[in-house]
Structures are given as C-alpha cells and as structure tokens.
Amino acid sequence: MASSQNEVPPPLQDIPTAKEKKYDRQLRLWGAGGQLALEETHILLINNGPGVTGVETLKNLVLPGIGQFSILDSAVVSEADLGVNFFLDDDSLGKFRAEETVKLLQELNPDVKGTAITEPLETWAVKDKIFTPYTLVLIAAPLDPAILATIDKHVQALEIPAFYLHSVGYYSQFSLYLPPAFPIVDTHPDPTSTDDLRLLKPWPALLEFAKQKTASMDKMNGEQFAHIPWIALILHYLQEWQAAHDGKLPTEYKEKTQFRDLVRKGSPSEENFDEACAAVLKTLVPPKPSSKVTEILNAPEAKNLTATSPPFWVIANAIQQFYEKHGELPLPGAVPDLKAQSDTFIQLQNIYKTKAREDCAEVVATVRSLEKNLGRSGKLVIDEKEVENFCKGAAHIHLVRGRPLKIVTPDTVTTFGDRTKYLANELTNPESLSLLYIAFVAWDEYVATHTTSTKEAGSEGLKVPGAGDDYEADAEKLTGISHKIIDSVIKEAGTFVEDPEYSQIKEKVGKICVELARAGGAELHNIASLTGGLVAQEIIKVITKQYVPIDNTCVFDGIASKSYVLRI
Amino acid sequence: MAVNGDSRARWRYMDHILTRPGAYTDPEWGEGIIGTLENAKVLVIGAGGLGCEILKNLALSGFKSIDVIDMDTIDVSNLNRQFLFRQSDVGKPKASVAADFVMKRVPGCKINAHVCKIQDKDEEFYMQFSMVICGLDSIEARRWINALLVGMVDYDNDDSLKPLIDGGTEGFKGQSRVVIPRMTSCIECQLDMHAPRAAVPLCTLATIPRQPQHCIEWAHIIKWEEERKDIQLDTDDPEHITWLYRTALKRAQEFGIQGVTYSMTQGVVKNIIPAIASTNAIIAASCCNEAFKIATSSAPALANTIPEGVDPETYDPDEEFAPAPNNYMLYTGDNSIYTFTFGHKKKPDCPVCGNLPKDLTVPGDQTLQELIESFAERPEAQLKKPSLSTGGKTLFFSSPESLRQQTEGNLRKKMRDLMEDGEEVVVTDPAFPTEFKYTIHLT
Ligand SMILES: [Zn+2]
C-alpha cells in the first residue's frame, strides 16, 4: 500500500467484503436485496435435444451467484455435443450429459451448488411433489407434449415460474409462465421519467419556500438571482399567471408555451431560467396515475383483501384509499439536481422528503388498520420499509398477468382462444415476428405428431423436422401446418386478409419453415448463447422482482437480427 | 476417450446449416464453405466480458484461427461475468488465460494471445485477418481501429477490406453493429449515438456541491491535487479510495448532503459501468452470429442486406435518399425485451470514411482555447488533445511540448482574427491515425 513519509494513511474504512467486490458490477443494478433473492433460488433445467440454450442460460446465472441449480437430462454425451456445448470436454464423451455439464458449470462459481438428475424425464416427472424444491423451472424443447402438460400442471399448482425454450438453427423462441398475478414495485423506470414535483398542486411548505426564494427578485444581486432554484421560479410565475387568468393554471399546450414565454421574460440567459423553461412542458402535468397503475390499484386482488393477501395487494388498497382522499398518489420525494446554492438545495430536498414521509405515514396507518380489520396474524405484519418503497415507486408499479404455456396436441390445429384476434392483427403488422412464433408452434405440432409412444421410447422417440435426410419434404410439411394455423387464426378472429398480403404471409412463413427444417433440430452455438442471455436476464428479473419481465413470449430471428415479444 | 479434433462428427449440428441450402442462400452457395470458415483468420479485440464470450462462440462456430489482443490483467470484480477466469487467475493477463482456456476446451482451435495495446501493432499485423471483432469498453480504442481499417482499404486488393463487428454493453442494454469499411457507415459516422456524459462544472464542485457525486468529484479532482499531489492516484488502491471516500464524506457532512458511500466513491472515480453476464452473452453472440454469417454466407449478415421494399437492381446505398442496409442492432432488456435493428446511413462528411469536410459553426469572438475545449464535448468530435491547422498555417499543436509552447500564443486569440469565414481546418489528435476536416462558419 502506498503511503508518504509525512502523513499517516487513514485506516481503511467501509471497504467492501470479498463478496461485494466479486459482485460489484451487478450489485449496482439489483442491489443487496436482489442478490439475496438470487442466492435463495433453486433452478431446475429439464434438458432435451442438443440442450445448449439451457446450459448457456445457467452459465449466466451461476456467474452472478444463484443458490442452486439442477439439470435433469438422461442423455449421454455424443461427439456432436462437443461441437456445440462449451460445458463439456473430450473426457465427457460417453458419460451422462447432466453430470458433465453440472461439473463444468459449477467450476464457474464455488458459491453455487449444482445437482445432476439422470433419470428419464417420463418416469421422473410423474412423481408426487417432485417440483416442490424448485423456485423456477426451465424446459428445453423438444419433448413429448403429454409430459410437458404434466410439468405444466405441477408448476401451475405451485405457481412456480417456468420457461419453455426452443433454439433451432438461426431462430429461437421462449415462453414464460408466471402466476396469474405477478406484481413488481422496483421497476427501475428511466430516471428522466420519474420526476414528480407537484408544481400544479404545491403544498404550503413548498409555496412558502418559493415565496421566500423569489421575494424581491428585482433587488437581488446577480449571484443570488442566478441561483434561484427553477422550481421556485416556476411556482412564482404560476402565481403571476393565475393572477392574470382568473386563478386558472396553464393546462393546454398553447397556454404552457405562453407560460414558458412569461418565465423567459424574467431572464434571457441565466441557466436557472433555462432549466425552468426546459421543465415547463414536462412538469406542468396533473399528478394523475397512468391507466395501468389505476388498473392495478383497482384489481380484484386489491379490492377483495383476505387475512392472507400478499403485502403488495394490502398496500395497493391503502394507496388507492390515499388516492381517493387526496386525488394524488403519495409523493415520491426525490428532487432532480438543479442550479442552486448548496443550503437552498438541501432545504428544498427536505421539503419534498418531509411531505413524502407524511404521505407514507398516512399509508402505513391505513395498512395497519387494514391488517387489524382483516385479522392478519402477527407473522404477516407488513414491513414499513416495504410500504415506503411502494409509496416511492407507486407511479411506476407493474403487474404481469401470467398465462399458461401453449401446449400442442398431436394432429390438431393449435388455436389461441382469447388471443386469436390479437394474433390475427399481428399477422399483418410488418414489424411483428408473429410468423416466426407460428412456425415454432407448427414445429411443436410436427414433433407431437411424429412422436412414438413415450412409455417405451422416451425423448429418444421424438422426431424433429429435418432430422432425416429429406429435410425439404419436412419443410413442406411444416409449411403446411403453419398455413393451417394461420388460416384458422384468421377464420376464428372473424377477419379476412386479402391478396397480395395473404400470399405474402404464406410465402414468408414458408421461408421460415425451410430454415427450421434445414437445421434438423440443430442448435447453432451463437443463437443458443444469445437466447441463453435473454432467458437468464428474464430469470433475474423474475427472481429479484425488479425491472419488467416479458409478457409472455419472445422470438429471436438470427438472420434479420431482431427480437419480438408477443402476448399469447 | 480420444477424439479426433478434425472429425466432422463433432460439427454434425452446425453442418446441417453449412451443407443444406436455406431460404436466403444463393443458388451456387455451398461449395467449399467449410474450408472458407476453417481458413478465416479472426482478430478479437478485448478479452473481458464480451471477449470471453466471443472467443467461446467463435471456437464453437468452427473458426480455427483466432488472435486476441488485451493489455489488461484479471481483477476480482471480473469474475461475475468473465467466465474463462477463476479466483486463482487474478493478476494474470486476460488475453493469454482466455486463449489457453478455450484452446483446451475446444481442441483444434488455435488462439494467439497478444498482451498489449492495439496501438502497439502495425498495419501489417492487421492485414493478416479476414475480419475484426471488438468487445471493448473504450470508445477511443474503437475509433482507433475503425480509422485504421477504413484507411487500409485499397480498392485494387479485395483482401484489404476487413469487416469490423463491434459490440458494447451497459447494464441491461447493449448494441452490436457491422461496419464494412468504406461501404457502410463506420464507427465515426455513428459517434453522435454515443454522446459523452456532461461533466459537472468545476465551480459547482468547488463552491456549491448539492449531490454526493459532487463531493466525490471534489475530493478526486481538487482535494487530491492539493493534499497528495506527490502520490499518483491509483483507483485500484483501497487506501486511495478510502482517502477519497473519507474526504468526500467530510465535505458532504459539512454541506448536509447525504448518500456518499465507498461503493459510490469507487463508481465515480473509476467511472464504473454496471456489467452482467447475460447482456454480454447476448451482444457477444450477436456479433459472432454476424461473423459466422459473413464467413459462411449461410444467411444474410447485417450491413450486407438490401433494405425491404427496395429494388435490388437499382439500389445504391450511397445515393442521398436511399435507405441504408440494416447494420446496427440496439438492445434493451430492462423493460421487457426490445431490439431496434436499423440502417445507419454513411455520412458523406464523416472525418474517417467520408470525403467532405464537416460543417462547424463557431462564434467569431470565441477564442481558439474555447474552441479546442469544445472539441472534447462535441458529440460528433470527442477529441481530447486536438492540434489544428488551416491552409498550411499551424494554429495550435497539443504536442510535442516545444511546438505547443510555440503555438500557445494563439490560444487567447479570437477565431475571427485567426481565419476567414468558410475556411477549412484540419484537426489531428494523437489518439487517432487520421485527420478530421472541418469547414468553419463564423457567426
Ligand atoms: Zn464514417
């Protein structure tokens, strides 16, 4: 350690722990809370086919330190595996793929525990309570749809999030099953969208501050004038505006630009006036929650509370009561950096913080009274920190309404129920990759139809398009299935697609089917790795309950280098 | 069990794609593709978060001849994503540890490691590769290699044209792009898409701090110089960071500012960008997917497609209003998954690949000093040590010291007194092997 002769180095202080050092770059994204959630996770990968995407996904989760993972895979390592899976080596040949990949993945992080399960899926999956140890399940295609249905039944009963993955040639697709209500408070919105300053509904302490800071502006010295916080400037000129407009506030776009001109007249070039002018359009908005947030606060789960309702819904109910009483959400309390003297800025920060604390205290009181009225047990007392966090992010909460995985039936055209109309619209949207999704459903239908009895053959009895030499015939079959699905979607949706659009759709899906068939079920390492990155990222969001996960199906086109998310 | 590294059995999956024509392959495609792939020489710049992934992906895409350059050594904070490194590798050079690991795991793949700066290698070195893939966190290094590869293009020699594939990540976001030098938009054309963060004015740091970051920058930029100027600041030395942290904390307490932490101090002084394995995996794989498509023509690659709805017979990407081929994928993963893939148009006034000087509007009473300082901040320039000359007359040399002294008298002069309106200025910077041309418009 460096130290000079004439000074004693200060003692090392608050130095991060070894773990904080190792995870520093990710802790800056999801914090200690997110990390703890990862460490309490046990992920199960049900691996099939070439099985690369699932293993690449796990790599991206073992590195940031999930608690445990298990790989269920009864396959034995073949030479073809070595050309596509990085977590196998020449010594792995002939051994169980599950055991070998677990061993090499575990080398990435000594903090993570891995387990291999080599029992065949069809005998394993039917066991009682077999899914209980796991917090999240990854299922790699191809597999017998009957087994997928069994797994699906288990994960839905336990409300365990599950992913169903495909990676074939240049294309990939994955779907996410989440419980019917998956709420998120820490959505990490874009910082530029979060300022909520209530300039149209200022409270007395804020008005008083503005009055003080703008009193006799014309007599201030230049230094003082240049450091009036823009928030105070806007409030000052709003009063001037109101005096000239029968007490009305500028609400229309045109009024706001006129108001901006009024502010500009105060000074043509001072930086604080620049800041005020730049903020006019963005900050002079009524503090009304978005329709999405209103919908969440009024969801049946929030309205019909029970003694065991999750904390999220109890707090949502309390916040809705707050909103009904005050016509606004609790104040988040953050102030953006602005030109001001240090003490003035701190003073302003404290005004916002104090109001935020008062708002939060009122919500906490409502939560406590709800708890009492609901007869919640002492063990379920909601942490005040959780309420505070909710109050801060109330304008940006998010809810995913999870839907079950799509499982095909052999020799049956897949239909999409209440999502049919949506999908029909997507068919004619030039930006949409819905055709790639439909081709993957067709791929599953092909596999389902060509599967021999699972009892004797297991996953080895699956035949994927293009596995044999005549991949062109399989491409045609796949195209035929896709066309049937498209026709059924259009018909069920009660719409009509005219030519040439209709023929173009069919031609486009035909090309995708050629690509899927020529791969013959092969994974390309790059596409598997990219998809493993996407899936791992979604898993991190689901486990940490931070940021916003997909809802609910993602496709990736490695030829056009594009992704697309569909709600199926 | 011994395995023959050359056996195609290992490549059974990939060979489906390399031996069967697809929906987008040429009618003549297929002959000799595997040989082309195996003979391609690829240079990987950076063996960090992206680099580790890129090396793995190239080896498992059938590339057999790879070089990797990185001057860095392994730090413990790399281990959460740079998966070719272990605790016991901390302190060793990234390039050689990564190369050895991948060669051991994928027999038959040869990787040469170079532990040095990219600027240490000459044109002859770069000439041997068929393409270059960058996984860097430095904009400066990207601009250097971009300018070099664009400058190397010789229209009489097809081998001088080397596609540059570039990836970058920050937290849950990233981008991958393909540059065909002189044919498509280059890194310099796209520079304004990566504007530098605005610096906090010095007077704020010195007199009116408001944020914890202001206190840290004050300790870092002002206080260290004042109190410890004999000691070279080492941002990896915990004692140094502790000193900055305590100094910043004390100042924050004086001003009633909350939130200074050790971790924030480290983040501010080292300019730490959050990084995770999953985003690196996505971007690196996207880059390698493009490399694989370029090397095998098994599907169309970015920068090499004809935009939808355009007649391929008459398409000329250099025409003013013609759309550019898709060459850029932006990725964001914090709110659902979103990619934006688009064609970034080549700029005729790009200082690296264009031939027209860029227009620059300058107030006539601005001093040369002010103009020079503005070059660092202008998103389209970002030059830190510019030297300027006009019509054979030198205005200012940033280095060497003797020439700087000779020309520094000009710094205080007004632009109006130094040149005519509409005059062309040539700017050079020691960080780039190229000249930047501007037409100055005085106002
Ligand atoms: Zn350019």
Side-chain angles (χ1 to χ4, degrees):
Chain A
M1 196 180 303
S3 71
S4 72
Q5 300 296 326
N6 34 19
E7 70 180 295
V8 185
L12 301 183
Q13 203 182 51
D14 299 343
I15 289 225
T17 62
K19 196 165 111 185
E20 283 166 342
K21 273 191 210 160
K22 178 163 121 181
Y23 294 137
D24 179 81
R25 298 304 185 271
Q26 70 202 43
L27 290 171
R28 290 171 194 273
L29 288 174
W30 54 71
Q35 190 62 29
L36 194 66
L38 285 182
E39 285 165 15
E40 285 167 356
T41 300
H42 188 167
I43 294 177
L44 170 68
L45 166 63
I46 296 174
N47 217 0
N48 297 293
V52 187
T53 303
V55 172
E56 287 289 309
T57 304
L58 288 178
K59 173 203 72 197
N60 301 325
L61 296 167
V62 169
L63 286 164
I66 51 163
Q68 295 187 54
F69 69 96
S70 294
I71 300 179
L72 184 144
D73 188 348
S74 56
V76 166
V77 177
S78 70
E79 221 169 319
D81 283 316
L82 303 183
V84 73
N85 194 328
F86 194 73
F87 296 94
L88 294 172
D89 60 18
D90 286 6
D91 291 339
S92 308
L93 215 57
K95 298 177 184 162
F96 276 116
R97 196 166 68 176
E99 287 175 355
E100 291 299 295
T101 45
V102 164
K103 189 177 83 191
L104 294 186
L105 279 170
Q106 237 179 331
E107 282 180 5
L108 301 180
N109 192 343
D111 301 340
V112 180
K113 187 170 176 284
T115 309
I117 306 165
T118 55
E119 188 180 339
L121 175 59
E122 58 274 14
T123 58
W124 185 89
V126 293
K127 288 182 192 163
D128 195 29
K129 289 187 179 149
I130 197 77
F131 285 89
T132 328
Y134 307 108
T135 40
L136 192 141
V137 179
L138 286 170
I139 311 144
L143 76 167
D144 181 340
I147 300 179
L148 180 59
T150 308
I151 298 171
D152 183 52
K153 210 176 70 199
H154 282 294
V155 297
Q156 282 200 55
L158 294 166
E159 297 202 344
I160 305 173
F163 286 80
Y164 177 41
L165 325 172
H166 289 81
S167 175
V168 181
Y170 278 113
Y171 298 133
S172 69
Q173 180 251 320
F174 59 92
S175 302
L176 164 59
Y177 158 75
L178 283 175
F182 187 84
I184 307 145
V185 176
D186 288 332
T187 54
H188 296 260
D190 184 344
T192 56
S193 70
T194 52
D195 295 342
D196 179 2
L197 300 168
R198 308 286 164 90
L199 299 186
L200 290 178
K201 271 184 99 177
W203 58 100
L206 182 59
L207 275 177
E208 182 53 34
F209 169 85
K211 208 169 135 194
Q212 270 178 27
K213 296 297 161 194
T214 54
S216 42
M217 251 161 54
D218 40 351
K219 294 191 190 84
M220 282 180 187
N221 68 32
E223 188 67 9
Q224 280 175 322
F225 184 72
H227 285 88
I228 305 170
W230 67 259
I231 290 178
L233 288 175
I234 289 207
L235 289 169
H236 170 81
Y237 286 106
L238 277 176
Q239 291 204 320
E240 202 171 290
W241 173 278
Q242 281 179 299
H245 293 83
D246 305 323
K248 285 201 195 100
L249 289 161
T251 49
E252 300 301 317
Y253 178 79
K254 214 180 140 202
E255 291 170 333
K256 285 185 200 172
T257 54
Q258 284 167 354
F259 175 71
R260 195 170 53 192
D261 295 341
L262 175 70
V263 177
R264 187 37 95 193
K265 273 189 204 142
S267 160
S269 59
E270 283 299 347
E271 213 181 314
N272 49 342
F273 281 79
D274 292 348
E275 288 178 344
C277 290
V280 165
L281 291 179
K282 216 177 81 186
T283 47
L284 293 192
V285 284
K288 199 174 168 288
S290 70
S291 57
K292 258 188 184 167
V293 170
T294 309
E295 200 184 317
I296 299 170
L297 296 180
N298 290 288
E301 289 95 332
K303 294 272 164 221
N304 313 313
L305 293 179
T306 67
T308 54
S309 285
F312 178 90
W313 296 115
V314 180
I315 306 171
N317 181 300
I319 292 208
Q320 176 60 19
Q321 289 190 39
F322 183 98
Y323 180 69
E324 279 163 17
K325 188 169 160 203
H326 301 282
E328 57 192 12
L329 293 173
L331 184 75
V335 182
D337 192 30
L338 46 79
K339 194 172 183 203
Q341 298 291 353
S342 303
D343 53 350
T344 308
F345 184 74
I346 306 290
Q347 199 187 346
L348 184 61
Q349 265 187 330
N350 284 333
I351 289 168
Y352 275 89
K353 266 189 212 153
T354 307
K355 171 78 160 70
R357 259 186 234 122
E358 285 165 12
D359 286 2
C360 179
E362 192 180 321
V363 177
V364 170
T366 314
V367 167
R368 295 294 172 241
S369 103
L370 283 170
E371 284 177 326
K372 205 173 144 213
N373 296 343
L374 292 165
R376 271 170 97 86
S377 87
K379 276 185 230 146
L380 292 179
V381 170
I382 296 167
D383 191 345
E384 203 171 311
K385 279 243 168 62
E386 202 171 341
V387 182
E388 196 184 310
N389 201 29
F390 200 132
C391 288
K392 273 188 188 149
H396 300 276
I397 53 170
H398 189 88
L399 176 68
V400 180
R401 291 283 184 201
R403 295 172 64 91
L405 299 172
K406 185 102 242 148
I407 302 169
V408 303
T409 315
D411 294 311
T412 310
V413 177
T414 307
T415 53
F416 298 89
D418 61 340
R419 303 308 292 162
T420 310
K421 270 211 157 69
Y422 160 80
L423 202 51
N425 276 332
E426 287 290 316
L427 289 178
T428 53
N429 169 2
E431 296 299 313
S432 174
L433 299 183
S434 55
L435 294 176
L436 180 50
Y437 171 70
I438 285 175
F440 268 113
V441 175
W443 194 89
D444 270 3
E445 269 188 42
Y446 177 104
V447 172
T449 309
H450 291 79
T451 297
T452 46
S453 165
T454 57
K455 282 199 187 76
E456 61 229 46
S459 57
E460 263 90 31
L462 297 171
K463 185 175 172 276
V464 298
D469 284 337
D470 195 358
Y471 76 99
E472 279 156 324
D474 279 355
E476 266 169 46
K477 276 192 198 169
L478 259 189
T479 306
I481 302 172
S482 303
H483 286 179
K484 272 191 193 157
I485 297 173
I486 291 168
D487 286 339
S488 137
V489 165
I490 294 172
K491 189 169 157 249
E492 299 273 313
T495 69
F496 188 74
V497 182
E498 283 185 54
D499 261 336
E501 210 173 6
Y502 179 69
S503 311
Q504 282 163 357
I505 289 172
K506 290 200 150 180
E507 193 194 322
K508 237 168 142 181
V509 84
K511 284 188 170 177
I512 296 170
C513 290
V514 168
E515 285 293 328
L516 285 176
R518 86 153 153 161
E523 286 185 78
L524 284 175
H525 185 78
N526 294 323
I527 302 301
S529 183
L530 188 149
T531 309
L534 295 174
V535 175
Q537 196 153 273
E538 294 311 300
I539 290 177
I540 288 167
K541 292 191 269 183
V542 168
I543 292 171
T544 60
K545 296 201 169 67
Q546 294 184 41
Y547 301 93
V548 179
I550 59 159
D551 181 15
N552 50 29
T553 296
C554 178
V555 283
F556 183 77
D557 174 345
I559 295 177
S561 191
K562 281 179 186 172
S563 70
Y564 198 77
V565 173
L566 291 151
R567 186 153 199 266
I568 301 300
Chain B
M1 199 182 303
V3 184
N4 176 3
D6 294 329
S7 151
R8 288 316 290 179
R10 183 183 280 262
W11 305 108
R12 187 167 67 81
Y13 289 126
M14 193 174 75
D15 282 355
H16 282 171
I17 298 294
L18 295 184
T19 57
R20 295 168 164 184
Y24 303 90
T25 46
D26 263 18
E28 297 106 77
W29 173 85
E31 243 352 81
I33 282 302
I34 292 168
T36 312
L37 175 65
E38 294 192 339
N39 290 324
K41 262 177 92 77
V42 184
L43 174 66
V44 177
I45 300 181
L50 286 167
C52 284
E53 287 279 345
I54 291 169
L55 290 173
K56 171 202 71 162
N57 294 344
L58 291 176
L60 290 182
S61 296
F63 288 95
K64 300 240 177 274
S65 177
I66 304 167
D67 283 53
V68 57
I69 301 192
D70 197 313
M71 61 180 288
D72 278 352
T73 52
I74 298 160
D75 181 78
V76 66
S77 66
N78 301 146
L79 302 179
N80 81 326
R81 60 198 186 283
Q82 301 180 12
F83 66 98
L84 302 175
F85 311 142
R86 304 287 173 266
Q87 187 72 43
S88 57
D89 296 321
V90 169
K92 294 181 192 163
K94 288 184 177 179
S96 35
V97 174
D100 290 346
F101 193 110
V102 174
M103 281 197 284
K104 196 166 156 246
R105 189 61 62 83
V106 186
C109 179
K110 175 86 183 88
I111 305 178
N112 295 311
H114 307 268
V115 183
C116 63
K117 286 159 81 167
I118 53 172
Q119 291 87 348
D120 295 343
K121 299 283 184 187
D122 57 11
E123 223 177 278
E124 198 188 338
F125 171 80
Y126 291 103
M127 196 53 105
Q128 61 180 309
F129 301 103
S130 48
M131 61 179 114
V132 177
I133 308 181
C134 272
L136 288 160
D137 50 15
S138 144
I139 292 193
E140 215 155 88
R142 278 191 183 105
R143 290 171 70 188
W144 187 88
I145 189 71
N146 174 66
L148 185 88
L149 294 180
V150 172
M152 274 165 61
V153 174
D154 168 1
Y155 290 105
D156 298 327
N157 175 10
D158 284 351
D159 289 341
S160 68
L161 186 73
K162 299 169 194 310
L164 170 65
I165 306 171
D166 177 70
T169 70
E170 175 168 357
F172 285 110
K173 300 176 181 173
Q175 85 278 337
S176 64
R177 46 188 166 169
V178 178
V179 175
I180 315 284
R182 298 235 175 250
M183 316 271 278
T184 67
S185 145
C186 78
I187 304 285
E188 200 74 23
C189 293
Q190 299 165 10
L191 196 58
D192 52 5
M193 305 216 23
H194 303 266
R197 231 170 294 169
V200 181
L202 265 179
C203 62
T204 300
L205 301 184
T207 58
I208 47 164
R210 298 174 300 265
Q211 303 293 337
Q213 290 86 350
H214 296 165
C215 302
I216 296 166
E217 286 288 22
W218 174 81
H220 178 204
I221 296 170
I222 299 173
K223 214 59 189 165
W224 184 276
E225 262 316 289
E226 275 176 30
E227 296 194 5
R228 306 185 84 183
K229 68 170 178 290
D230 300 331
I231 305 166
Q232 173 71 35
L233 177 66
D234 175 3
T235 55
D236 289 322
D237 185 334
E239 191 273 326
H240 291 189
I241 298 286
T242 299
W243 189 91
L244 292 174
Y245 162 57
R246 284 173 43 122
T247 309
L249 193 63
K250 208 165 136 231
R251 182 167 177 85
Q253 279 158 356
E254 276 165 30
F255 283 92
I257 298 166
Q258 288 178 359
V260 172
T261 62
Y262 187 96
S263 156
M264 184 192 275
T265 307
Q266 220 179 4
V268 170
V269 301
K270 292 180 77 172
N271 191 19
I272 291 177
I273 293 164
I276 47 173
S278 41
T279 317
N280 282 333
I282 294 162
I283 296 303
S286 166
C287 291
C288 295
N289 184 43
E290 296 309 320
F292 180 73
K293 290 189 292 183
I294 291 171
T296 65
S297 311
S298 55
L302 284 181
N304 200 19
T305 47
I306 288 165
E308 231 167 301
V310 170
D311 180 3
E313 295 297 317
T314 58
Y315 177 56
D316 173 10
D318 282 341
E319 235 171 65
E320 193 179 351
F321 297 108
N326 280 357
N327 52 11
Y328 202 120
M329 181 186 85
L330 267 177
Y331 169 79
T332 48
D334 53 351
N335 187 348
S336 188
I337 290 174
Y338 177 71
T339 52
F340 178 53
T341 306
F342 63 101
H344 191 285
K345 185 104 171 148
K346 192 172 165 218
K347 291 190 175 150
D349 63 354
C350 169
V352 169
C353 75
N355 31 31
L356 298 175
K358 231 184 173 64
D359 288 316
L360 194 67
T361 306
V362 177
D365 54 6
Q366 190 174 59
T367 62
L368 181 61
Q369 170 101 39
E370 286 165 333
L371 176 70
I372 282 175
E373 281 165 7
S374 78
F375 273 114
E377 282 154 28
R378 284 173 186 271
E380 76 279 16
Q382 301 180 39
L383 299 171
K384 293 195 182 108
K385 285 183 159 181
S387 297
L388 276 74
S389 60
T390 171
K393 184 174 70 182
T394 298
L395 295 177
F396 177 69
F397 273 118
S398 63
S399 60
E401 185 56 23
S402 58
L403 286 174
R404 198 190 67 77
Q405 282 173 4
Q406 275 180 39
T407 52
E408 73 183 349
N410 281 342
L411 287 175
R412 259 163 286 129
K413 289 190 187 152
K414 292 194 165 142
M415 293 307 293
R416 171 178 306 125
D417 304 326
L418 286 168
M419 64 176 61
E420 303 287 317
D421 184 42
E423 215 172 320
E424 196 175 301
V425 166
V426 175
V427 183
T428 56
D429 187 298
F432 305 104
T434 186
E435 288 181 347
F436 301 83
K437 289 189 189 119
Y438 294 93
T439 304
I440 303 287
H441 301 280
L442 295 174
T443 56

